[in-house]
Amino acid sequence: MSTTPPRATAPNAEPFSIPNLVAILQEQQLLTKDEVEQIGRFISVQQLTEDAALRRLGKLNEDEITQAVARHAKLPYLKINPLDLDLDVVTAALPGRFARRHVMCAVSKHGNTVTLAIANPFNRAPLRDLQQFGGLEVKLVVASRSDIETVNKGFYDLKTSLKAAESQLTEGRLTSIDVTNQEFLSGPSVEMDPTMQPVVTALDNMLSHAFDQRASDIHMEPKRNIALVRLRIDGVLHDVHVIPKIVYQAVVSRVKMLSGLNIAEKRRPQDGRIKRSEGGKEVEIRVSTMPTVFGEKAVLRIFDPDILLKSVAELGFSDAELPRFMPFLEHREGIVLVTGPTGSGKTTTLYSVLKHLSRPEVNIVTIEDPVELVYDDFNQVQVRSELDVSFSNAIRTVLRQDPDIVMIGEIRDTETAEMAIQAALTGHLVFSTLHTNDAPSAITRLLDLGAPSFLITSTLVGVLAQRLVRTVCPKCVEEVAPTEEDALGLNAPFSKIRDLTFRRGQGCIHCRQTGYHGRTGIYEIMPVSRKIRKQIVTKTDSPEIVRTARDEGMRTLRESAIAKLVAGHTTVSEVIRVTGR
């Protein structure tokens, strides 16, 4: 069989079908002679296109193929990061139908020059149309077809729904609200219809975009004249959309309606929950609304079951830390506390631990405010203060339900602390959380809440303090030598780190040029030993307990982060960001 690559010469070929694609890849030594022959058989026998034949071969991914096309066309390659794009620039530069038909999108505009991402750099006819009729100077970059189609679908659909919603809401609105001062919060409200199709579509597009970008939180923030939508990805917030204020109010009403909140109540904070099917799995979204001087702010926290229900081994414990933590889970009774600020991964740790302990013969009951993720193996109780179902009251009821393991969402007050201790004293294993900076401070916090020291020593098994650090992107990782500036940031002599090798991400298409992809935990694990129990009874100050715990092998959060740094999982700047200098 001839090794000459077949040519895509069909006159009705789609604009994104790259002519002589196989020849381009062979020229750049990305395909062997045998692979070219195999592709030829796919095309001649199975009547596949070159694109389909390459997918069937399965050797190169779409980004690798696109980079080869860009090199052949002598144009820059761009991995599109939707977070870097401006909704108005994308949708104003090109008509949506034109962009979809020719598989192109605008990625930036400076003056009269627009940068276009195109999938087929050899099809110049639409570019001539743009220059002739649009009067634009065009700068070209090459991007993958799927990246461009994702942008076109999400951005044009969102822009269309926002415009339609703004038009319909403006026509139906007879009054206005003065948002220049706080007095509007107590004034009459103008209801925006949350069931209008453009409003429904706009919110659906925002949620889909957030899921696609691996966001953990969606922030919807009203400003004076507009509203801002931001996404938290790997612990860092990114501005993504600016939307009209009138549409924002309708979108928030839609969020409140879906989460079972009172749409008419705009002066009080409210909390709710949304269930949504995404990618074939059910995702929980926790909703919190809060009045601000410019209107209601809404924060939607996304709870992906694949993230919340990990195995204990996947939480990020090092080989030295896991043997110190696992004995906590072997107790039949007692209290295990997980501490850390909001967003430090406490909920993920607790759910993963409960999943690890879940067996048919074990009755697990959780008391939460709110329930973060509905899971069939647990009996989950929602705290409802308006119905007098508080943490402490719920614990009293749960103890009459024959539980083996009880998870209390948070110990917030004296009564809850007392009931948690009572549950542990009566033969139950109790898991809960506290907001403290480190593990030893949990003891001080319990004492401050009025828990008797002798009961703490009788029930407290151990404390786990934790944080989350971003991990180095595996696709663009490089090794670097430590610098004196690194030593200064780590508060360590340069002589101690000079011979080490650190790793960092250079920034690539996989991590959106950030150098990071994903997060892992750092941990401070403090078993309550016999010596620490004696110190609790004598109410020894926290620094002394820290010294004892360190003598007994406890590694601080800072030391855990540095161990992750030395192992190549994170960077110096991330260690400093999370644990301070």
Side-chain angles (χ1 to χ4, degrees):
M1 178 177 178
S2 171
T3 60
T4 303
R7 295 174 177 269
T9 57
N12 59 346
E14 292 294 326
F16 51 77
S17 296
I18 310 297
N20 304 318
L21 178 58
V22 173
I24 291 171
L25 298 175
Q26 186 182 23
E27 175 189 308
Q28 299 186 30
Q29 299 181 346
L30 296 174
L31 293 176
T32 66
K33 178 180 176 181
D34 290 342
E35 288 166 343
V36 171
E37 290 184 349
Q38 188 175 356
I39 290 172
R41 288 193 292 271
F42 288 150
I43 294 173
S44 61
V45 177
Q46 301 182 23
Q47 301 299 307
L48 298 180
T49 64
E50 282 190 323
D51 290 343
L54 281 164
R55 287 195 297 271
R56 177 69 64 85
L57 183 67
K59 179 182 179 181
L60 301 172
N61 62 39
E62 187 179 18
D63 289 322
E64 291 169 332
I65 293 172
T66 306
Q67 289 177 58
V69 170
R71 286 192 294 268
H72 185 77
K74 295 181 173 54
L75 290 173
Y77 166 77
L78 176 67
K79 176 64 178 177
I80 298 177
N81 179 5
L83 299 179
D84 293 336
L85 303 185
D86 185 294
L87 178 65
D88 291 330
V89 168
V90 172
T91 55
L94 300 174
R97 185 175 298 178
F98 184 90
R100 290 187 180 98
R101 178 183 175 190
H102 297 291
V103 197
M104 60 176 58
C105 68
V107 293
S108 65
K109 185 178 181 182
H110 301 284
N112 199 42
T113 301
V114 61
T115 301
L116 292 183
I118 56 176
N120 182 1
F122 309 110
N123 180 24
R124 298 301 179 98
L127 303 178
R128 289 193 294 269
D129 292 342
L130 278 178
Q131 292 171 323
Q132 182 176 354
F133 297 106
L136 295 172
E137 292 294 329
V138 177
K139 179 181 176 182
L140 296 180
V141 295
V142 180
S144 69
R145 174 187 170 190
S146 60
D147 277 2
I148 293 173
E149 290 181 341
T150 297
V151 170
N152 285 341
K153 181 180 184 304
F155 279 61
Y156 283 102
D157 288 354
L158 177 59
K159 186 66 174 182
T160 300
S161 60
L162 289 176
K163 279 189 173 181
E166 184 177 20
S167 175
Q168 293 184 31
L169 291 169
T170 302
E171 289 175 3
R173 189 172 185 179
L174 302 178
T175 58
S176 61
I177 297 176
D178 178 12
V179 297
T180 58
N181 61 71
Q182 297 188 37
E183 293 181 0
F184 91 95
L185 292 175
S186 59
S189 63
V190 179
E191 290 303 322
M192 302 291 117
D193 186 357
T195 63
M196 292 172 52
Q197 188 57 46
V199 175
V200 174
T201 303
L203 179 61
D204 284 345
N205 286 327
M206 291 180 198
L207 293 178
S208 295
H209 184 64
F211 293 130
D212 289 342
Q213 300 305 312
R214 301 184 295 106
S216 61
D217 301 85
I218 307 170
H219 288 242
M220 298 180 175
E221 303 177 356
K223 305 301 180 184
R224 185 177 299 276
N225 298 313
I226 49 91
L228 184 65
V229 178
R230 303 200 287 170
L231 300 182
R232 187 178 296 279
I233 302 171
D234 290 339
V236 178
L237 276 172
H238 303 266
D239 295 352
V240 290
H241 297 308
V242 175
I243 60 178
K245 191 69 171 286
I246 189 172
V247 179
Y248 170 80
Q249 294 168 354
V251 168
V252 170
S253 292
R254 174 72 180 170
V255 169
K256 292 169 70 175
M257 185 184 77
L258 292 176
S259 55
L261 304 183
N262 184 350
I263 296 177
E265 179 57 74
K266 294 177 169 59
R267 295 173 294 177
R268 294 180 182 174
Q270 298 186 70
D271 295 296
R273 190 170 76 238
I274 298 173
K275 287 184 181 180
R276 180 182 173 92
S277 179
E278 193 70 30
K281 60 187 176 184
E282 189 175 88
V283 176
E284 295 270 348
I285 303 174
R286 192 175 73 190
V287 177
S288 174
T289 65
M290 177 183 69
T292 71
V293 293
F294 294 126
E296 281 187 291
K297 175 181 176 179
V299 175
L300 286 66
R301 172 156 287 188
I302 300 169
F303 291 97
D304 187 332
D306 292 341
I307 296 175
L308 275 183
L309 293 171
K310 296 180 178 180
S311 69
V312 174
E314 293 174 326
L315 291 173
F317 289 104
S318 68
D319 292 341
E321 291 166 340
L322 194 59
R324 288 180 60 83
F325 177 68
M326 292 305 291
F328 292 3
L329 312 185
E330 296 170 1
H331 285 256
R332 299 290 300 274
E333 65 226 8
I335 298 175
V336 176
L337 294 176
V338 180
T339 76
T342 301
S344 59
K346 300 188 299 296
T347 299
T348 299
T349 297
L350 285 175
Y351 270 80
S352 299
V353 164
L354 293 180
K355 179 185 177 184
H356 173 80
L357 296 173
S358 179
R359 297 185 300 278
E361 64 271 22
V362 176
N363 178 19
I364 298 176
V365 183
T366 75
I367 305 168
E368 304 173 69
D369 183 23
V371 173
E372 309 283 19
L373 175 70
V374 176
Y375 188 60
D376 289 347
D377 289 357
F378 310 153
N379 299 290
Q380 296 169 281
V381 178
Q382 169 75 53
V383 169
R384 296 185 180 275
S385 55
E386 70 275 11
L387 300 177
D388 199 31
V389 183
S390 62
F391 276 114
S392 54
N393 290 341
I395 296 171
R396 289 190 183 92
T397 302
V398 164
L399 292 181
R400 296 193 287 270
Q401 293 281 316
D402 187 31
D404 296 293
I405 298 172
V406 180
M407 192 272 273
I408 303 168
E410 183 183 351
I411 295 178
R412 299 177 178 173
D413 51 41
T414 300
E415 191 174 10
T416 304
E418 291 174 348
M419 291 306 302
I421 290 173
Q422 186 62 37
L425 287 172
T426 52
H428 306 92
L429 181 58
V430 178
F431 293 91
S432 190
T433 69
L434 281 175
H435 288 289
T436 62
N437 291 328
D438 57 19
S441 297
I443 295 170
T444 304
R445 177 63 177 151
L446 288 176
L447 291 171
D448 290 342
L449 288 172
S453 58
F454 69 93
L455 290 182
I456 296 175
T457 61
S458 301
T459 56
L460 189 60
V461 171
V463 183
L464 172 74
Q466 69 176 80
R467 300 288 190 278
L468 293 175
V469 294
R470 291 184 291 174
T471 51
V472 175
C473 175
K475 302 290 186 180
C476 62
V477 62
E478 65 174 354
E479 294 186 346
V480 293
T483 65
E484 292 190 5
E485 186 178 354
D486 291 338
L488 184 63
L490 296 172
N491 196 25
F494 180 62
S495 59
K496 283 193 172 183
I497 68 171
R498 177 173 48 200
D499 297 328
L500 299 176
T501 300
F502 294 159
R503 303 173 81 196
R504 69 181 178 192
Q506 302 174 62
C508 68
I509 58 179
H510 185 63
C511 63
R512 305 186 188 89
Q513 306 302 324
T514 65
Y516 298 100
H517 190 275
R519 291 188 289 178
T520 189
I522 56 172
Y523 301 98
E524 185 175 284
I525 306 167
M526 187 187 77
V528 180
S529 64
R530 182 174 301 177
K531 187 172 182 179
I532 290 177
R533 293 184 195 282
K534 290 180 180 179
Q535 291 177 325
I536 295 172
V537 171
T538 58
K539 296 185 178 179
T540 304
D541 59 8
S542 187
E544 187 61 34
I545 295 177
V546 171
R547 282 190 286 272
T548 300
R550 295 289 305 281
D551 291 342
E552 294 177 344
M554 184 188 80
R555 188 161 61 181
T556 66
L557 287 167
R558 176 75 165 200
E559 291 167 338
S560 177
I562 291 175
K564 286 281 196 300
L565 168 67
V566 173
H569 299 308
T570 192
T571 63
V572 172
S573 59
E574 191 66 3
V575 170
I576 296 171
R577 183 182 73 86
V578 174
T579 65
R581 288 185 177 272

